[in-house]
Amino acid sequence: MPEGSSLWRDRNFTVFWASQTLSVAGDSFALIAVPLLVLHVTGSVAQMGLLTGVASAASVVAGIFAGVLVDRLDRRRLLIWCDVARMALYGVVPVAWAFGPKVWLLFVVLPLSEAIGMVFQVAYVTAVRGLVDADRITEANGRLSATAAAAGIGGPLLAGVVAGWFGPTAAIAINAASFGVSALGVLLIRLRRQPAPSAEEPARGPWHELLAGARFLWRQPVLRALTVLLSFFIFLTLGLTDVLIYHLKHDLGQSDGAVGVVLAVAALGTVAGSLLVGPVRRRLGFGASWIGAIAVAGLAIMGLGVSTGVPVAGATAAAYLACVSVAGICSMSLRQQVTPDHLLGRVTSAFWMTHYALGPAGAAVLTWGAQHHGVEAVCLLAGAACLLIAVAAFFTPIRQQNPELSGATG
C-alpha cells in the first residue's frame, strides 16, 4: 500500500475488517445465549460459572500449543480452519436442543470452541502484521477494536430480542453462521509472507519451542509485570458477565430482552475505550493510561455491586468495559511493538495462557460468591482488589511513560 494512503483503500485490510466485525457481532449472540440456556434449565448461576470456568481452562490448555502452531504453520489457513471448526461445533447445539435440553452438550461444545478460539486469537494478532505496514499496526488495531466493539452494541441487543422471541438456541445458530462469514473473509485475503526464523533461533526441539515465548515475556521487564498483574485481574473479573446477567435476572427481575439491552449499552464503553486509547496514551503515556484504567475499572465494579436499577448497572458496566478496552489495547500494542515477528505467536500464546490461568477458578469463585453471599459483596471485594493491582503497578516498570523505547529485555 502506498505510503500515506488510507487503510480503507487496502483491499486485504478492508475485507478482513468487515468479516471480523460481523463475526464479533455473531459472538455476542453466544455471550448471552449460552448463559441463558444454562439459567433457563438449571436456574443456577453457579452452573453458569462452572461452564465459564471449564471453557476458560480449555482455552488455557490450548494456549500451551497455540503459539507454536501459529509461528510454524500457514497463518491464513489456520484462521480458516479454526472458523470452520467453531461453526460446526456451535451448529450442533440448536440441532441437538430441538430434541430436548442437553446442558452436558454445552460442557463439550464450549470448551472445544474456546480452545480453538485461543488458536484463532493468537493467529489473529499475528495476522495484523501480515496485513499492514509496521507504522500502521496501531491504527489497524484501533480500527479493528473500535468497529468490533460497535458491532458488540447491536449484537447483544439483537441477541436479547432473538432469545426472547425464538429462544437462546436461535441466537447460537446465528453465532455459528458468523464463523462461516469470518472463514470466507479470511479466504479472500492474502497475508504477506512471514519471515523465516532468524539464525539466532535454531530449532532445538518441542520444549524449546513451547517455552520460547514464556522466556521472552520473563526477560522483558514491562511485559513480565503486566503478565503477573493481569493474571490476578482476570481472576477477579472473568466471571463478571455471568454475575451481571444474574444480577439483572435474579436481583432486578429483568427479562432476557432487557439483559440484551444492558449488555448493548455496556458495549458502548468498549467503543469509547477503543476510540480514546490512542489519544489517551499519547497524552498520558503507557504507565498512567494502563494504571488509571485498572483503577477506574475497580471503582466501576464496586459501583455495579451497589446498583439498584438498570440504568446504573448499564452505566457502571460501560465504564468497566471502557477501562478494560484501554488497558487491553495498550498491553497488546506493547507486545506487538517489542516482540520479534518470528516469536510473536509464542509470546502472545504464552501471555494469554498465563493471563487466563487463574481465570477459571476466579469465575467459579465469583459466581459461587454471588449466589451464596450476594452480588454486592463479591463486587465490592473484586473492585477493591483491582484497586490494589493498580497500586502495585506503580512499583513496577509498568509506570514508564514509553516502555517500548527503553529497549530493556532483562
Side-chain angles (χ1 to χ4, degrees), residues 181-316:
V181 173
S182 176
L184 179 61
V186 178
L187 183 65
L188 295 174
I189 67 170
R190 292 292 182 270
L191 299 179
R192 301 171 187 179
R193 185 180 299 275
Q194 62 194 75
S198 66
E200 298 177 358
E201 191 203 12
R204 297 180 183 176
W207 284 111
H208 178 84
E209 292 278 299
L210 290 172
L211 296 176
R215 279 195 295 269
F216 185 88
L217 280 177
W218 183 254
R219 292 170 181 171
Q220 217 289 338
V222 183
L223 296 186
R224 179 172 65 236
L226 282 171
T227 302
V228 172
L229 292 182
L230 282 171
S231 297
F232 287 107
F233 183 78
I234 203 68
F235 174 86
L236 297 166
T237 61
L238 184 61
L240 201 59
T241 297
D242 290 338
V243 170
L244 173 59
I245 293 174
Y246 178 73
H247 182 49
L248 293 169
K249 296 285 293 181
H250 181 268
D251 298 337
L252 303 182
Q254 299 299 311
S255 66
D256 291 354
V259 172
V261 171
V262 170
L263 291 185
V265 170
L268 284 170
T270 305
V271 176
S274 299
L275 294 175
L276 290 173
V277 62
V280 166
R281 183 176 174 183
R282 284 194 298 269
R283 178 178 293 272
L284 302 180
F286 178 87
S289 300
W290 192 90
I291 294 171
I294 296 296
V296 177
L299 293 175
I301 294 172
M302 297 173 75
L304 175 62
V306 298
S307 64
T308 57
V310 170
V312 176
T316 52

Side-chain angles (χ1 to χ4, degrees), residues 8 23 55 150 158 177 201 231 333 343 350 356 358 394 402:
W8 302 124
S23 180
L158 291 175
E201 191 203 12
S231 297
S333 297
L343 277 174
Y356 283 106
L358 297 178
F394 274 112
N402 297 298

Side-chain angles (χ1 to χ4, degrees), residues 89 92-97 102-111:
L89 284 168
V92 168
V93 174
V95 174
W97 222 266
K102 296 175 177 60
V103 175
W104 64 266
L105 181 62
L106 299 178
F107 281 87
V108 176
V109 169
L110 207 62

Side-chain angles (χ1 to χ4, degrees), residues 100-169:
K102 296 175 177 60
V103 175
W104 64 266
L105 181 62
L106 299 178
F107 281 87
V108 176
V109 169
L110 207 62
L112 286 174
S113 297
E114 288 298 307
I116 296 169
M118 169 61 82
V119 178
F120 181 91
Q121 288 300 322
V122 173
Y124 176 95
V125 170
T126 63
V128 175
R129 266 192 177 173
L131 284 171
V132 300
D133 296 329
D135 60 347
R136 292 295 185 92
I137 288 178
T138 300
E139 181 185 358
N141 281 334
R143 293 190 181 184
L144 286 165
S145 178
T147 52
I153 296 175
L157 179 60
L158 291 175
V161 172
V162 170
W165 287 359
F166 305 105
T169 55

